[in-house]
Amino acid sequence: MMSTSLLPLENASPAHICPFDQACSYLEEAARELKLDGSIVEILSKPRKVVTVSIPVKRDNGEVQVFAGHRVQHCDILGPYKGGIRYHPSVTLREVSSLAMLMTWKCALLGIPYGGAKGGIAIDPKLYSVGELERMTRRYISELIKDIGPSVDIPAPDMGTSAREMAWMMDTYSVNMGHAVPGVVTGKPISIGGSRGREMATGRGVFIIVREALADLGKSLKGTRVAIQGFGNVGSAAALLLYEAGAKVIAVSTGSGGVFCEAGLDILALKAYAAHNHRSVVGFPNAEPISNAELLTLPCDVLIPAALENQITEENVNQVQANIIAEAANGPINLQANKALEARGVTVLPDILANAGGVVVSYLEWVQGLSYVFWDEERVNRELEQLMVQAYRQVIQQSKVRQISIRLAAYTLGVGRVAQALLDRGLYP
């Protein structure tokens, strides 16, 4: 029943089950629990539209390089497509297809009227000048101009992109439309319609879900030992909020390596250090060096993988010692490792719940942009808190009622809501 016919086989990963197949596996598991008709699963397991465009870019040296840009639109049963655009060497059509599907379930789980989408270009943005990145971004959006829009598909930042790229995208789309269209993207600078609180939103969502999970176990954040793999936008925001709440962040890492301190790291000082050290934490004073792999196996209360997918696999899962794992990244635990962790009784807070803060505030930014009424950060954070806590409570209740894992409970809620909407809308023609 896995629908891979729309996606090139050469993009599959030989080492692990590919992200798209893993996403389909979770869909099928939820469908079995919900006893969904096979035709519904068949529809939901295929992206509605897969777009690949050619992006010729003139480099600063005068040479022309041609890139492939992808945009996968998975499902718009509940509303316009929504999802990030990433610039990273690992981008493949299968990867963005899996992330588009996860975004569909994430939006449905949080009660947001969006469908899932994802896009990207397989590049390392660090190897290109600002001018080259701008030309690439503008040509990419120009090629997608008929497939995006504030009521069609609303891109957002992702790995390797930021408010800067969103500004270029918004401007390119607006110039082509002949008027300013702030609602075409989210994650923009505040000066052109961005939302306050957006930069911290995903990390804040992770913080809220971890806080709620600890409370359910009768524990508080104060003194809780936390290890965070990834100190980018999400990981650093979660680290700061946890640190300010009294948690002991004992280790963090970036792509070049990490640092460990048994007594807890000074996150404010670490953020300042990373900002002046090309975003690396390596060499931070009064801390021991640690690798990304070693960080995952540290004795700790909470482990937050906030980097790439497939970080916890069957090869290292038996060394993982955390009692709670919050998936701040998308798909950091593969299928086999997830089963092993559930069998051991480890609390796994799944990505479609734990890292949903970003899309929540993207939605709030979109609402503000459409209404041309903008809120202060306190209101944005209050709305985020309400939606995240509500979703967490619904997932935990579903888990208890059905006697299933937290991950499966989250998927049954997300998938079930989309499936019901599909049944209510029916098929055309």
Side-chain angles (χ1 to χ4, degrees), residues 243-289:
Y243 171 78
E244 290 177 342
K248 186 185 295 185
V249 182
I250 61 170
V252 302
S253 65
T254 57
S256 55
V259 289
F260 166 79
C261 178
E262 180 65 37
L265 295 161
D266 183 336
I267 300 301
L268 286 171
L270 185 59
K271 278 176 66 71
Y273 177 86
H276 291 88
N277 194 37
H278 307 289
R279 299 185 179 181
S280 174
V281 298
V282 175
F284 182 63
N286 303 316
E288 302 173 29

Side-chain angles (χ1 to χ4, degrees), residues 212-239:
E212 295 297 305
L214 284 167
D216 278 353
L217 295 172
K219 299 178 180 179
S220 71
L221 285 167
K222 191 169 184 180
T224 295
R225 293 162 51 84
V226 182
I228 303 176
Q229 185 200 47
F231 202 63
N233 182 52
V234 178
S236 63

Side-chain angles (χ1 to χ4, degrees), residues 80 114 148-154 173 181-185 366 370:
Y114 281 149
I148 63 172
S151 61
V152 180
D153 183 353
I154 307 106
Y173 185 88
V181 188
V184 68
V185 297
W366 180 69
L370 292 178

Side-chain angles (χ1 to χ4, degrees), residues 80-161:
Y81 300 105
K82 186 79 184 79
I85 290 177
R86 57 175 49 185
Y87 292 173
H88 192 273
S90 70
V91 167
T92 66
L93 191 53
R94 281 177 173 265
E95 180 197 41
V96 294
S97 296
S98 69
L99 294 171
M101 183 185 290
L102 293 180
M103 183 62 79
T104 297
W105 317 139
K106 186 183 298 184
C107 293
L109 175 61
L110 271 293
I112 295 172
Y114 281 149
K118 205 75 171 186
I121 304 173
I123 63 162
D124 182 349
K126 295 190 293 291
L127 303 180
Y128 296 87
S129 71
V130 172
E132 290 168 340
L133 290 172
E134 180 174 358
R135 293 192 289 275
M136 184 186 308
T137 300
R138 289 183 181 275
R139 183 59 183 260
Y140 174 49
I141 291 303
S142 296
E143 295 292 340
L144 293 176
I145 205 82
K146 295 179 181 178
D147 296 297
I148 63 172
S151 61
V152 180
D153 183 353
I154 307 106
D158 201 282
M159 192 181 303
T161 59

